[in-house]
Amino acid sequence: MATESRMEKIVSLCKRRGFVFQSSEIYGGLNGFWDYGPLGAELKRNVRDAWYHDMVTRHDDLGVPAGAPSSFQMVGIESSLIMHPQVWKCSGHFDLFCDKMVDCKACKSRFRFDHVSVAVMQTRETPPVVLAAETYIPDDSGGGLSATKTKKMEQSVFQHNRAKGTSVEGELVTVSLDNYYKRLTDSTPADLKPKCPSCGGELTAPRDFNLMFKTTLGALGGEDDAAFLRPETAQGMFVNFKNVLDSTRLKLPFGIAQVGKSFRNEITPRNFTFRSREFEQMEMEFFCRPDQSRAWYQYWRDRRFSWYTRLGIVSDSLRMRDHASDELSHYSVGTADIEYAFPFLDKGEYGELEGVAHRGDFDLRSHAEGKLVRKDGSLVVETDADGKPKHRGSGKDLQYFDDQTRERFYPHVIEPAAGADRTTLAFLCEAYHEDQQPDEKGEMQERVYLSFHPRLAPVKVAIFPLIKKEGMPEKAAGIYREFKEAGIAAQFDQQAAIGRRYRRQDEIGTPYCITVDGDTMKDDTVTLRDRDSLKQERLPIKEVVEYVRHRVTKW
Ligand code: ATP
């Protein structure tokens, strides 16, 4: 029997213990949508709360945070999921938020360009002559083309030589579908055109596919009433910049943050919750003076990276990757991604958890003046053939007036944009551990445990009576109630042998287990066991709530 991969084990634990379920599972599921079960909902809520707490509620503890150029303020908002369609025209999502894709005319499968490869057998001359081409989807380990197909490709060299009476050598190369399309000409024979990787059928010409979900407003709505589910939360902060400024006494620098759902009609959702069509983002727009923006960019890169390490992601699985200049958005001065080595990726590969971008003044200016494009090195309003703005802005004054220096200007923006689902998945993957521990009979058993940081653990403490008599259940129930009253997520469990109860809690990542035993009935002390070190210590009952509270709120 094939052994389960680490990722398969994590996915199966998520379902078995109620972290993540496929959406609408009883109807066969819906691709790209996920539901969080009782424990998953708690875990994700703890991730969101940790983010909001660290970014907004206690962002500075009334001082200048370490490494920050100065003190700053932070507020939260909650904006609507559907916004005025002009928002997406000025933000660039309407024109540019696209992936290239092709459809199979026969089996109707749809493929994203960058997920398909073409194996090409070509001659070694310059320019090479293509002798055979096979379209395929690389498997998770990067390989893909079957041995039979490879053999068939090799035969194409032999057939070519026989037909031409020559003897050329062939080489087998792999190119992206995008690059292969660039090599096609009108005279390329049909058998060398890319085929459907599933059924070998004919593919449509490649086309752009906008990732925004479209909907219609009102019962009679036509094309003019088309609206979009937001593909990011960030625009809510930009369009409310003036409202926030006018309704608060904020002065630069300050940040506006929000946590909320976003929707992207991903062509090929995959890798569990990593790439979903409905997901949650935790985004913050930090407004500052242009001349201080580089220092703030550096500050937020460092601060956001350390957020993950402080919550338990060890540094070799996490990296900061600066975007190369050709990867930067047309307005971006600099962007760095915080990435995690997810177990479903090949060794050495990382997936994005968060992007930290220096966005300059692109967003506020676009929403004021009209959608901007870069021309001759500077940002100008994009115009149509008649010289009119392609997408009109709001015409509102979205500049900031500095009453000290008497200057009026567009603030620059630093945006740390994180995904709550990807971050939750990374914390789950990082926490997954297996070890061997002796059971009650002294036999070694495999133990699976999730070593969540106590702030993130869905259940913080479990309380067990050692046996179901001699007043122990009542005593344990009293302690359980004290935890509930203190607002600390607790479970009470009196079923099965104590070792099994520990294992059940280890598997869901509960950091502390408290056992009420015979001694408790004499001296009011309990045993507190630590999930990771397995150390047990004896504590008076009156100290346990404070002991656990201190550890599960420490940050
Ligand atoms: P990717 O390149 O992986 O598609 P992106 O660069 O488009 O991501 P951003 O627009 O920067 O992503 O969004 C900020 C964060 O939102 C990402 O770092 C990620 O954590 C999360 N996110 C984006 N798209 C998805 C998705 N389809 N499913 C889950 N989370 C997502």
Side-chain angles (χ1 to χ4, degrees):
M1 202 177 85
T3 50
E4 267 187 313
S5 70
R6 183 177 164 79
M7 195 61 212
E8 283 164 346
K9 288 180 187 173
I10 293 169
V11 171
S12 112
L13 173 86
C14 281
K15 172 152 167 92
R16 189 172 68 252
R17 298 307 310 270
F19 282 94
V20 182
F21 307 127
Q22 209 181 359
S23 160
S24 323
E25 193 186 282
I26 59 167
Y27 289 104
L30 189 62
N31 199 8
F33 297 88
W34 298 95
D35 293 340
Y36 287 82
L39 291 174
E42 286 299 314
L43 172 65
K44 193 170 155 196
R45 190 166 62 83
N46 293 341
V47 170
R48 281 192 299 251
D49 287 354
W51 185 88
Y52 199 83
H53 176 274
D54 299 354
M55 293 294 280
V56 183
T57 322
R58 286 188 60 182
H59 72 279
D60 65 354
D61 272 339
L62 287 179
V64 179
S70 70
S71 65
F72 57 93
Q73 290 169 292
M74 199 68 93
V75 291
I77 62 162
E78 209 176 296
S79 66
S80 61
L81 271 65
I82 294 181
M83 302 169 77
H84 194 291
Q86 205 62 21
V87 169
W88 309 113
K89 292 187 176 158
C90 289
S91 69
H93 287 86
F94 189 80
D95 294 334
L96 301 170
F97 198 53
C98 301
D99 273 338
K100 266 206 183 120
M101 54 155 212
V102 282
D103 288 310
C104 172
K105 290 185 182 170
C107 71
K108 310 290 175 215
S109 300
R110 176 166 284 180
F111 304 96
R112 219 174 101 164
F113 242 57
D114 55 350
H115 290 169
V116 179
S117 297
V118 187
V120 181
M121 179 59 81
Q122 60 187 22
T123 61
R124 287 181 187 273
E125 60 209 308
T126 318
V129 177
V130 176
L131 306 177
E134 282 286 346
T135 318
Y136 71 101
I137 299 186
D139 63 23
D140 285 346
S141 60
L145 199 64
S146 67
T148 338
K149 284 194 173 162
T150 311
K151 194 117 207 104
K152 201 174 112 199
M153 306 264 299
E154 281 160 4
Q155 276 173 2
S156 65
V157 185
F158 175 73
Q159 281 158 1
H160 169 86
N161 284 346
R162 200 164 61 177
K164 301 265 172 184
T166 53
S167 105
V168 296
E169 272 188 56
E171 61 174 345
L172 190 59
V173 294
T174 296
V175 297
S176 67
L177 187 55
D178 199 8
N179 280 335
Y180 191 65
Y181 265 100
K182 288 183 193 144
R183 293 172 71 169
L184 299 181
T185 61
D186 290 345
S187 56
T188 305
D191 62 326
L192 293 184
K193 297 228 168 102
K195 307 275 177 345
C196 169
S198 299
C199 76
E202 196 185 334
L203 294 175
T204 59
R207 61 193 163 107
D208 281 340
F209 173 73
N210 194 300
L211 297 186
M212 284 195 293
F213 278 101
K214 203 170 178 183
T215 186
T216 306
L217 303 182
L220 301 173
E223 201 41 40
D224 288 349
D225 299 302
F228 302 93
L229 298 191
R230 66 180 178 195
E232 61 172 34
T233 61
Q235 297 306 320
M237 276 75 97
F238 295 123
V239 300
N240 279 301
F241 171 72
K242 208 67 181 172
N243 281 336
V244 170
L245 209 52
D246 293 347
S247 59
T248 61
R249 291 164 56 225
L250 290 177
K251 299 252 184 269
L252 289 187
F254 66 86
I256 311 180
Q258 89 169 303
V259 177
K261 290 267 183 169
S262 292
F263 301 83
R264 294 184 189 176
N265 202 358
E266 298 281 358
I267 298 169
T268 39
R270 59 179 179 171
N271 291 333
F272 202 28
T273 57
F274 180 83
R275 187 171 299 287
S276 316
R277 289 180 166 142
E278 174 181 336
F279 54 95
E280 213 158 341
Q281 290 185 306
M282 308 184 290
E283 297 195 290
M284 192 273 286
E285 306 305 323
F286 190 78
F287 300 92
C288 59
R289 288 184 61 90
D291 54 1
Q292 291 176 351
S293 61
R294 280 179 192 271
W296 282 112
Y297 173 56
Q298 192 55 45
Y299 169 71
W300 282 111
R301 281 167 47 113
D302 298 346
R303 176 162 171 169
R304 290 304 307 150
F305 190 84
S306 72
W307 187 78
Y308 294 93
T309 53
R310 275 188 6 237
L311 284 172
I313 298 200
V314 295
S315 29
D316 4 331
S317 315
L318 194 69
R319 72 169 187 192
M320 175 82 86
R321 185 183 67 85
D322 282 295
H323 281 210
S325 53
D326 60 350
E327 253 185 293
L328 291 177
S329 317
H330 60 288
Y331 51 79
S332 185
V333 177
T335 297
D337 285 345
I338 300 172
E339 301 180 328
Y340 180 69
F342 284 97
F344 51 76
L345 298 171
D346 285 348
K347 200 165 168 30
E349 281 192 8
Y350 290 75
E352 176 184 331
L353 294 178
E354 168 162 354
V356 183
H358 183 311
R359 298 177 65 98
D361 60 4
F362 173 82
D363 304 273
L364 289 177
R365 268 187 67 200
S366 287
H367 285 304
E369 299 168 13
K371 191 195 146 208
L372 301 175
V373 281
R374 189 168 287 285
K375 211 170 176 188
D376 304 328
S378 46
L379 288 172
V380 293
V381 174
E382 189 177 8
T383 48
D384 60 19
D386 303 331
K388 296 207 188 89
K390 184 169 177 210
H391 296 305
R392 271 179 310 101
S394 64
K396 299 281 187 292
D397 176 11
L398 301 183
Q399 296 192 77
Y400 177 84
F401 178 66
D402 187 326
D403 51 15
Q404 302 281 303
T405 62
R406 315 300 295 166
E407 290 167 286
R408 183 174 289 283
F409 57 92
Y410 286 107
H412 276 200
V413 171
I414 313 301
E415 176 192 78
D421 304 83
R422 281 191 193 174
T423 304
T424 302
L425 183 59
F427 285 126
L428 258 165
C429 294
E430 185 73 10
Y432 185 87
H433 284 90
E434 292 168 0
D435 66 6
Q436 298 282 326
Q437 293 298 332
D439 63 11
E440 286 86 1
K441 296 185 207 123
E443 284 168 20
M444 295 308 270
Q445 299 287 347
E446 179 165 282
R447 175 177 83 125
V448 170
Y449 69 103
L450 295 176
S451 63
F452 290 129
H453 187 286
R455 278 180 83 190
L456 301 182
V459 177
K460 312 294 185 197
V461 60
I463 299 105
F464 312 143
L466 184 62
I467 49 172
K468 271 203 246 178
K469 50 189 180 193
E470 295 168 17
M472 291 182 211
E474 294 73 18
K475 195 85 176 168
I479 301 173
Y480 167 73
R481 266 194 304 277
E482 272 185 52
F483 275 105
K484 293 294 239 187
E485 276 161 25
I488 297 172
Q491 277 191 357
F492 175 80
D493 187 1
Q494 54 180 0
Q495 302 302 331
I498 194 81
R500 279 189 63 189
R501 283 183 263 168
Y502 280 144
R503 277 197 294 281
R504 282 204 283 261
Q505 294 299 329
D506 289 343
E507 208 188 26
I508 64 169
T510 307
Y512 305 106
C513 290
I514 290 175
T515 305
V516 168
D517 54 20
D519 286 344
T520 313
M521 307 315 288
K522 292 183 219 139
D523 61 7
D524 262 355
T525 62
V526 288
T527 304
L528 185 136
R529 170 191 178 266
D530 180 282
R531 173 199 63 206
D532 300 341
S533 67
L534 298 176
K535 283 209 181 93
Q536 305 209 1
E537 58 183 304
R538 204 77 201 167
L539 285 177
I541 289 178
K542 60 179 181 342
E543 286 177 20
V544 285
V545 171
E546 221 23 65
Y547 180 98
V548 173
R549 191 214 306 273
H550 175 68
R551 282 160 180 77
V552 301
T553 52
K554 205 166 78 186
W555 61 292

